C-alpha cells in the first residue's frame, strides 16, 4: 500500500509546489513590470521643435477622439451588466426582441462619425507637416537660411555630411538651435529610417533614392536619434546623439573640425561602408559630390545583411 500511495503523494506535492512557483513568478513579474517600463522614454510627448509639437498634437487629438467612443462603451458595458442583473425586477426581459432602428442608428452612426473625424484630423495634421515643406527659422535666430545636411544610412551607422561646411560626422549630429535643418537622405544599403523623436517626422531612407526632411530644434539640448527599421545584426546599435547648440557654438565647432582628421573620399567611404558598428567620429574634409555619387549608385551600394543571417539582401549572380 505504501508503494502505491507514495507516487500519488509525490504527484500532489509536485503540483502544489508547481502552483506556488507559478504564483511566485507572477508576483515577481508584476513587481518587475514598472521597473522595466521606467526605462521607456517620453521623447515623442516631449517635443523640442515645431514638427515634434505638431506630431504630439496629432497623437493627443487622435487619442481624445478614440477615447470619446471607447470610454462610453466601457461604461455602458458595466451599466448594462448592472441593470440586467438577476435581482433587478425592473429590467424588462424580452426574449423575442430582434431589431431596433434607433439602436442601429446609434451603433453605426457614431463609429462612422468618429472614423471620419479621426481620419480628417490625421490627414490635415500630416499634410501640414509634410517632410518636404520648409520650416521657418525661429524668430530669435540670426541665421535665416536652412542648414544643409546630407544623411546616409549604412550597415550599421549614420553618416552626416555638411556640404557647405565641408565636414562630415559619423553617429553624431551637431546643429544650431533655431535654424531650419534641411536633410537630404539616402541609404547605402537596405531600407532604413531616420528618426529623432523629440524633433519629429520619421522618414525612410532608400538606396538609389533621395528623400528630404525639414526639422528645427528650438532650444539647445541633446536629443536621441535612431533607426526605426530593422536592417540587420547591428540594428540595435544604430543610434546617434543630436546636439543642439547656439549658432556661435556651431560655427566654432564646424571651424574646429574643418581640416582636422581624415578626408572622406571614395576610399574612405568604402572603408566606412563595411558592415559593423563604429564610435562617433568626424572627417575634416569631404570629396565634392560624394553624396550624389551614393544616390546615383556611382558608388556601388553595400550588400546588406546576408540572407543566412536573417537579412533580406543578396546579390544575384552575374
Amino acid at each position: 500500500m505504501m508503494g502505491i500511495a507514495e507516487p500519488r503523494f509525490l504527484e500532489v506535492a509536485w503540483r502544489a509546489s508547481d502552483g506556488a512557483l507559478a504564483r511566485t513568478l507572477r508576483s515577481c513579474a508584476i513587481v518587475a513590470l514598472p521597473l522595466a517600463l521606467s526605462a521607456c522614454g517620453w521623447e515623442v510627448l516631449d517635443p523640442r521643435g515645431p514638427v515634434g509639437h505638431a506630431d504630439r498634437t496629432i497623437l493627443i487629438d487622435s487619442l481624445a477622439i478614440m477615447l470619446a467612443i471607447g470610454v462610453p462603451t466601457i461604461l455602458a458595458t458595466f451599466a448594462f451588466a448592472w441593470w440586467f442583473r438577476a435581482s433587478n425586477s425592473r429590467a424588462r426581459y424580452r426574449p423575442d426582441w430582434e431589431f431596433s432602428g434607433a439602436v442601429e442608428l446609434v451603433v453605426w452612426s457614431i463609429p462612422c462619425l468618429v472614423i471620419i473625424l479621426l481620419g480628417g484630423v490625421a490627414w490635415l495634421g500630416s499634410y501640414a507637416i509634410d517632410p518636404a515643406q520648409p520650416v521657418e527659422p525661429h524668430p530669435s535666430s540670426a541665421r535665416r537660411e536652412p542648414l544643409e545636411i546630407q544623411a546616409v544610412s549604412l550597415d550599421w551607422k549614420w553618416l552626416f555630411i555638411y556640404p557647405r561646411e565641408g565636414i562630415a560626422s559619423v553617429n553624431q549630429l551637431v546643429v544650431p538651435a533655431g535654424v531650419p535643418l534641411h536633410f537630404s537622405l539616402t541609404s547605402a544599403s537596405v531600407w532604413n529610417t531616420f528618426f529623432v523623436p523629440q524633433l519629429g517626422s520619421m522618414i525612410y531612407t532608400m538606396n538609389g533614392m533621395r528623400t528630404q526632411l525639414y526639422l528645427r530644434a528650438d532650444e539647445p539640448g541633446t536629443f536621441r536619434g535612431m533607426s526605426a527599421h530593422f536592417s540587420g545584426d547591428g540594428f540595435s546599435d544604430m543610434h546617434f546623439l543630436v546636439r543642439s547648440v547656439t549658432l556661435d557654438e556651431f560655427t566654432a565647432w564646424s571651424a574646429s573640425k574643418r581640416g582636422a582628421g581624415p578626408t572622406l573620399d571614395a576610399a574612405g567611404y568604402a572603408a566606412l561602408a563595411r558592415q559593423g558598428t563604429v564610435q562617433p567620429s568626424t572627417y575634416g574634409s569631404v570629396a565634392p559630390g560624394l553624396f550624389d555619387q551614393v544616390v546615383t549608385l556611382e558608388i556601388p551600394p553595400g550588400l546588406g545583411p546576408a540572407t543566412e543571417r536573417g537579412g533580406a539582401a543578396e546579390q544575384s549572380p552575374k
Side-chain angles (χ1 to χ4, degrees), residues 201-246:
S201 285
M202 179 180 68
I203 192 168
Y204 276 94
T205 63
M206 292 167 279
N207 183 243
M209 297 185 65
R210 180 201 306 257
T211 52
Q212 57 178 331
L213 171 67
Y214 280 90
L215 296 176
R216 191 185 78 203
D218 283 342
E219 59 189 56
T222 301
F223 316 120
R224 186 167 63 101
M226 68 183 75
S227 166
H229 188 88
F230 179 74
S231 58
D233 294 339
F235 158 77
S236 58
D237 295 320
M238 197 171 173
H239 47 74
F240 57 94
L241 291 180
V242 180
R243 287 200 303 119
S244 174
V245 298
T246 64

Side-chain angles (χ1 to χ4, degrees), residues 48 72 74 119 134-135 152 176 209 222-223 225 262 272 275 282 286 295 302 306:
R48 289 294 184 268
I74 295 173
V135 175
V152 183
M209 297 185 65
T222 301
F223 316 120
L272 180 65
Q275 291 185 354
T282 57
V286 180
V295 174

Side-chain angles (χ1 to χ4, degrees), residues 99-113:
F99 179 78
S100 170
V103 172
E104 292 289 332
L105 178 64
V106 172
V107 168
W108 288 104
S109 63
I110 294 180
C112 287
L113 291 175

Side-chain angles (χ1 to χ4, degrees), residues 38-86:
S38 64
C40 298
W42 295 89
E43 288 93 343
V44 175
L45 299 179
D46 185 27
R48 289 294 184 268
V51 179
H53 280 284
D55 287 339
R56 183 180 65 176
T57 300
I58 294 174
L59 288 174
I60 294 177
D61 289 348
S62 300
L63 177 62
I65 293 171
M66 289 184 286
L67 289 177
I69 188 173
V71 172
T73 301
I74 295 173
L75 295 178
T77 301
F78 287 106
F80 272 79
W82 178 82
W83 178 256
F84 289 101
R85 66 193 186 277

Side-chain angles (χ1 to χ4, degrees), residues 167-191:
I167 59 175
S169 63
V170 179
N171 285 345
Q172 60 177 331
L173 182 61
V174 181
V175 299
V179 176
L181 310 174
H182 180 214
F183 290 90
S184 299
L185 305 104
T186 191
S187 172
S189 178
V190 296
W191 276 25

